Amino acid sequence: MLNEFSLISRYFSRPSQQPGGALLGVGDDCALLAPRAGKVLAVSTDMLVEGRHFFAGSDARALGHKTLAVNLSDLAAMGASPRAFTLALALPAIDEAWLEAFSAGLFALAGPAGCELIGGDTTRGPLTLCVTVFGDVDAQRALRRDAAQAGDDVWVSGTLGDARLALGALRDEWTLSAGELAETRRALDWPEPQLALGMALAGVAHAALDISDGLAGDLGHILTQSNVSARIDVDALPRSAILARQTPRIQRQCTIAGGDDYQLCFTAPGHARDAVLSAGIQAGTSVSRIGTITAFDAHGDTPRITWTDAGGQPLALALRGFDHFDD
Ligand code: ADP
Ligand code: MG
């Protein structure tokens, strides 16, 4: 039977394949990681809890991928390049087949991303998966949430809403064909962090974040932290062909108040449009312009986000991002 230490050495210690990796990895009291010359460390933590962020019995390989992917997505949203991560695991029992699949999903993403596992913690408890990532970024070029300016364009990468569309079908909120469910579940279970795009946008975009809780709520974070407002064209929100076949209400719910998209939402000055499009091409990701940052009127009663149709007419939408304390 595996104990805690044989479990760590069997599933979670792999020799570094990175030139310039950590000075010391798994096995000591701390790992040792040197920041690269001229860069600062970008650090972020994200936790996935069974029953809250994923269904009990979820595919272990997909969980390994997603646990790291949601963290790499935070590095992408900062324009940072991945260096290393730690992994804190609470496991209800030692299940070798589960650990084998989970670590395979984790390392299949970590390797190509250049992100090395350098430590963690392992304990018995309700299934909880927590990663802390470390990346390198140029402090002056980091894509912060407080840097949007009135007049900026608002952009998003990829398409929005497929993960929410799959989740709604799994929860019986609506129905999808088996083929549609299989396809949209890929967005839910295997999100692709937009690392190449984030790095290409550093120094080009003003503000950015990754959309994890829905565009309305997440764009709202940029707007409050930058103290600006936005007009967003709902008809310009990029959707997959499957989502575009659903009713207008489902399309809006999934694109605006969805969740688990892990696309980037960012703002950039109008003169940077060509540079943004080039960044998208360089990263192999589509980028769509969805609206404009406007000045915030502290005395008026206009909301932070004005949703419009393609003709610029305001729409009355009462949709908010997903809030974990707002069931
Ligand atoms: P400590 O008692 O100092 O916290 P542990 O006994 O928890 O150390 O862990 C021993 C070593 O194994 C440490 O280097 C720690 O970072 C690493 N480690 C523990 N759990 C994991 C894990 N799930 N993945 C990777 N490394 C781990
Ligand atoms: Mg420990």
Side-chain angles (χ1 to χ4, degrees), residues 4-5 8 12 25-29 87-89 117-122:
E4 178 188 337
F5 299 101
I8 295 163
F12 299 112
V26 170
D28 214 311
D29 299 309
L87 171 67
L89 281 180
L117 179 58
I118 57 169
D121 200 19
T122 307

Side-chain angles (χ1 to χ4, degrees), residues 266-293:
F266 54 97
T267 82
H271 64 75
R273 280 183 192 171
D274 285 345
V276 169
L277 293 172
S278 307
I281 290 166
Q282 197 185 319
T285 305
S286 63
V287 288
S288 308
R289 195 152 49 80
I290 62 166
T292 312
I293 298 292

Side-chain angles (χ1 to χ4, degrees), residues 266-324:
F266 54 97
T267 82
H271 64 75
R273 280 183 192 171
D274 285 345
V276 169
L277 293 172
S278 307
I281 290 166
Q282 197 185 319
T285 305
S286 63
V287 288
S288 308
R289 195 152 49 80
I290 62 166
T292 312
I293 298 292
T294 57
F296 178 61
D297 176 3
H299 303 295
D301 56 1
T302 47
R304 286 277 183 189
I305 307 181
T306 303
W307 303 98
T308 74
D309 62 17
Q313 288 305 310
L315 302 168
L317 295 182
L319 291 166
R320 281 179 301 156
F322 185 75
D323 179 331
H324 289 278

